[in-house]
Amino acid sequence: MPTKKAEKPKEAASKAGKSGKANALQQPLKPSEELSAVVGAEPLPRGEVVSKVWDYIKSNNLQNPEDRREILADDKLCKVFGKDKVTMFEMNKHLAQHLK
């Protein structure tokens, strides 16, 4: 008689995620006044905030044409980032400081 195999860790984790509770990345967070000028004032999950910031960057042509990984901040983003240029890898660190 075949024995039942133990559940794989990935399967267990995915089942736990379907319990209806939002994980840390899905929790709606309120953006600061500076960030709300870019993404709106409504609470949003981190993923949506990042997505809206990227939409803003692309629609305003704020990527450095010579190095697309670099973001050239306009006045609104300069208030969020605290400097004129950031890399796409630094961006999330700066966004996290503006979410509660």
Side-chain angles (χ1 to χ4, degrees):
M1 196 191 280
T3 58
K4 190 174 182 181
K5 290 185 179 181
E7 204 173 64
K8 293 180 184 176
K10 286 183 182 177
E11 291 172 356
S14 67
K15 287 182 181 176
K18 294 179 183 176
S19 65
K21 282 188 175 179
N23 67 26
L25 295 176
Q26 297 167 335
Q27 290 286 341
L29 300 169
K30 183 158 177 49
S32 69
E33 189 176 320
E34 295 86 3
L35 184 57
S36 64
V38 178
V39 300
E42 293 296 313
L44 297 167
R46 276 182 207 276
E48 284 187 43
V49 170
V50 172
S51 182
K52 285 186 178 224
V53 169
W54 270 112
D55 290 344
Y56 180 83
I57 290 167
K58 290 178 180 178
S59 67
N60 290 293
N61 199 25
L62 297 176
Q63 281 180 284
N64 184 348
E66 295 165 10
D67 183 0
R68 307 280 295 161
R69 295 173 296 182
E70 195 172 61
I71 300 161
L72 307 172
D74 63 358
D75 290 338
K76 288 182 182 180
L77 285 180
C78 197
K79 290 176 185 174
V80 174
F81 298 151
K83 51 186 179 176
D84 295 337
K85 285 194 250 186
V86 296
T87 65
M88 63 173 55
F89 308 108
E90 294 177 74
M91 182 177 76
N92 287 336
K93 176 180 73 172
H94 294 290
L95 292 179
Q97 295 172 352
H98 289 273
L99 294 169
K100 293 182 183 177

